[in-house]
Amino acid sequence: MKRTTNRRLYKSAISICLLITISNLAFAQSEETSIRASVDKLFDGMRSGDSSLVRSAFTSQAILTSVSINEKDSVVISNSKADGFVAAVGKPHTEKWDERISNVKISVDGPMATVWAPYKFFRGETFSHCGVNVFTMIKTKTGWKINAITDTRRKANCP
């Protein structure tokens, strides 16, 4: 009798652990899907020239940082508020701004996440530059928002 009880307890414990693991994996996948959707909203807005859609992807205090190498092989860092970028997206331009990301990696810790996304940027069908975007995401009451983007930029050695 005791053996049967122990086996049942063991099986119950294993079942509970499996349910918790599956539940946690489903939650993590759901969070990653929501985070990716917020990043995709930014790029959809860029392609369509919709500054309202782009604005909705960012927190109100979002910042942008670009890191590049100049002709003297020195690192150049430029910082700006996202508002200037949002305004630029909404200004008429003849060519579609098309940023294509690949091999996206998302890490989540509670209300914060990072997204690592190599990209290629095209103006219309013409390649402009490439690099890596690193998004810092914050989970707000209205969903995941971009709080910061740091990117590298180059014209060669693109993945």
Side-chain angles (χ1 to χ4, degrees):
M1 179 78 168
K2 190 174 183 179
R3 248 183 174 173
T4 305
T5 303
N6 284 343
R7 281 188 181 149
R8 283 185 186 153
L9 285 173
Y10 178 75
K11 286 181 179 180
S12 293
I14 294 293
S15 295
I16 290 169
C17 288
L18 283 173
L19 283 173
I20 290 170
T21 300
I22 290 168
S23 174
N24 286 340
L25 286 172
F27 177 76
Q29 283 183 325
S30 172
E31 289 294 287
E32 288 186 13
T33 300
S34 297
I35 292 163
R36 176 63 191 258
S38 295
V39 170
D40 288 342
K41 183 191 300 186
L42 166 68
F43 297 128
D44 290 343
M46 287 171 58
R47 278 188 287 279
S48 64
D50 185 342
S51 60
S52 295
L53 186 59
V54 170
R55 174 76 248 158
S56 72
F58 288 105
T59 63
S60 59
Q61 68 274 6
I63 58 168
L64 308 177
T65 302
S66 287
V67 181
S68 58
I69 306 289
N70 66 15
E71 305 83 37
K72 298 177 184 179
D73 283 337
S74 296
V75 173
V76 178
I77 301 170
S78 61
N79 293 301
S80 61
K81 293 185 178 183
D83 295 334
F85 175 71
V86 170
V89 167
K91 288 183 182 170
H93 41 278
T94 56
E95 297 171 317
K96 175 174 64 172
W97 294 358
D98 186 11
E99 191 155 338
R100 303 172 191 173
I101 59 176
S102 61
N103 299 320
V104 176
K105 295 178 180 70
I106 299 172
S107 298
V108 183
D109 185 31
M112 181 188 77
T114 58
V115 179
W116 177 277
Y119 74 91
K120 290 182 181 176
F121 183 81
F122 294 81
R123 292 183 192 267
E125 296 300 315
T126 305
F127 172 76
S128 173
H129 61 277
C130 68
V132 172
N133 291 316
V134 177
F135 298 86
T136 302
M137 309 291 294
I138 303 295
K139 188 171 188 179
T140 69
K141 290 179 183 178
T142 59
W144 286 96
K145 303 281 184 178
I146 301 165
N147 194 58
I149 304 173
T150 300
D151 66 67
T152 57
R153 295 184 187 187
R154 62 184 175 276
K155 292 188 180 280
N157 300 320
C158 297

